Amino acid sequence: MSHVLILGTGGTIAGTASDPGRSWAYRAAQLSVEQLVDAVPELAACALATRQVAQIDSKDMGWVTWQALGQAIEGAMADEATSAIVITHGTDTLEETACLLHALHDGRKPIVLTAAMRPATAPDADGPANLVQAVQLAQAAAQRGEGGVAVALAGQAWSARDVRKAHSHAIDAFDGGGAAPLQGHDPWPQPEARGWHGLRHAQPPRVEVVTSHADADGWLVDAALAHAQASGSKLDGLIVACTGHGTMHEKLEAALQRARDAGVLVWRSSRVARGGVQPRDGDAWPAAGAWTPAQARVRLLLELLSARR
Ligand code: SIN
């Protein structure tokens, strides 16, 4: 019989507080994914397998964990016994991992990410219901031959292409940046199937995010360029979290021009929660579309990696 494979990476969903009455004072990534599953009676009758890929607070997410996750997903795609994948993740960088998987996954089987805003020991823990929602969504998607990447939380489902964290502490912390949640049996957006080979590079390109704001005079950009030059390292890309629909302080723009002259790829995104920066004819600086600055960083990493091949 085929099963849903649950890959654990940590997060608040696996977090514990020593005093359940003070559940805000908790540590993320304490319980194993097996413990999370065992604690949910509604999952007892489901055909599930678990694998701990990482055990981190997702603020510490990065290349090495993405490599491990990519390997586990590739293995599960080749395993006939696995019908779908659920990933337990922290909420803080979930939108980055979701965006990465949407770009790389080949769409053979559904992948559903889930998370929680309250630790597992909280009296109002949301993790168990979110895990059940994710498993049910993954099972239903596998049955109808769906192969995209979705995110299931707080009774709603989002495409991995659109999802982002939109509230720092509300239980329904996610939205689609203006895109609607997935409804019922609506088809999920097709993943881009770029393949996992890019993750095999030992080191990712260096891409940093700078924000335009009052008095943003480009000091950080010049400092990064000077550091790269002095240390013999390379700054490959910069994402600008722009004001409004892609504008930036003129002094920051002048520094970015210096960076571009030094070979750094620069993309614009927006620090505004919804809408992003839509590309227009004659753009002086490429626009990252609807992606958040953190997601735009993932996308630029992937662009730079494909240029390396
Ligand atoms: C994390 O992102 O790992 C901690 C915060 C959370 O999951 O809500």
Side-chain angles (χ1 to χ4, degrees):
M1 189 169 67
S2 65
H3 60 248
V4 175
L5 174 64
I6 308 190
L7 301 175
T9 69
T12 293
I13 193 169
T16 59
S18 48
D19 177 353
R22 295 168 74 242
S23 57
W24 43 267
Y26 71 94
R27 284 173 68 95
Q30 301 302 301
L31 301 176
S32 69
V33 62
E34 199 176 351
Q35 286 173 300
L36 297 186
V37 171
D38 287 349
V40 184
E42 292 96 317
L43 295 178
C46 300
L48 302 174
T50 58
R51 180 164 162 203
Q52 197 75 46
V53 171
Q55 187 64 307
I56 59 168
D57 184 321
S58 83
K59 69 180 175 56
D60 301 322
M61 184 54 66
W63 193 247
V64 170
T65 305
W66 282 341
Q67 287 178 314
L69 198 54
Q71 262 186 15
I73 293 171
E74 271 191 287
M77 290 301 133
D79 176 8
E80 283 180 10
T82 302
S83 59
I85 296 175
V86 166
I87 301 170
T88 58
H89 200 288
T91 62
D92 284 340
T93 56
L94 185 144
E95 73 196 45
E96 292 168 64
T97 300
C99 161
L100 179 82
L101 299 186
H102 176 74
L104 303 187
H105 179 42
D106 63 9
R108 260 185 287 170
K109 298 174 188 179
I111 301 177
V112 180
L113 293 112
T114 193
M117 292 297 288
R118 311 267 187 273
T121 47
D124 54 353
D126 51 331
N130 288 349
L131 193 52
V132 172
Q133 186 199 344
V135 169
Q136 288 174 348
L137 187 69
Q139 285 171 327
Q143 265 168 19
R144 57 174 203 278
E146 187 67 70
V149 188
V151 174
L153 288 133
Q156 286 195 302
W158 305 97
S159 158
R161 184 195 61 188
D162 304 320
V163 76
R164 71 268 326 266
K165 191 169 182 178
H167 197 287
S168 58
H169 56 88
I171 203 92
D172 55 345
F174 284 77
D175 75 18
L182 296 169
Q183 300 291 345
H185 288 176
D186 280 356
W188 300 358
Q190 200 54 31
E192 293 172 24
R194 286 171 172 238
W196 306 98
H197 39 265
L199 285 178
R200 298 199 185 107
H201 289 269
Q203 288 290 332
R206 176 167 289 280
V207 180
E208 299 290 338
V209 179
V210 288
T211 303
S212 189
H213 49 76
D215 291 326
D217 62 2
W219 186 88
L220 270 180
V221 174
D222 287 329
L225 287 177
H227 173 76
Q229 201 175 24
S231 64
S233 55
K234 186 158 185 277
L235 176 63
D236 298 288
L238 279 170
I239 299 296
V240 195
C242 290
T243 38
H245 195 194
T247 55
M248 60 183 104
H249 195 295
E250 59 187 2
K251 291 183 178 165
L252 175 60
E253 186 164 11
L256 289 168
Q257 187 57 57
R258 291 190 281 282
R260 185 150 75 179
D261 292 345
V264 181
L265 241 126
V266 182
W267 283 7
R268 287 175 304 141
S269 63
S270 179
R271 61 182 221 183
V272 180
R274 293 190 188 154
V277 182
Q278 298 311 311
R280 287 182 179 143
D281 284 349
D283 273 344
W285 303 93
W291 305 112
T292 66
Q295 289 173 325
R297 180 182 171 275
V298 173
R299 303 295 305 199
L300 184 48
L301 276 181
L302 295 177
E303 281 306 304
L304 288 160
L305 281 170
S306 26
R308 266 189 197 174
R309 283 199 288 144

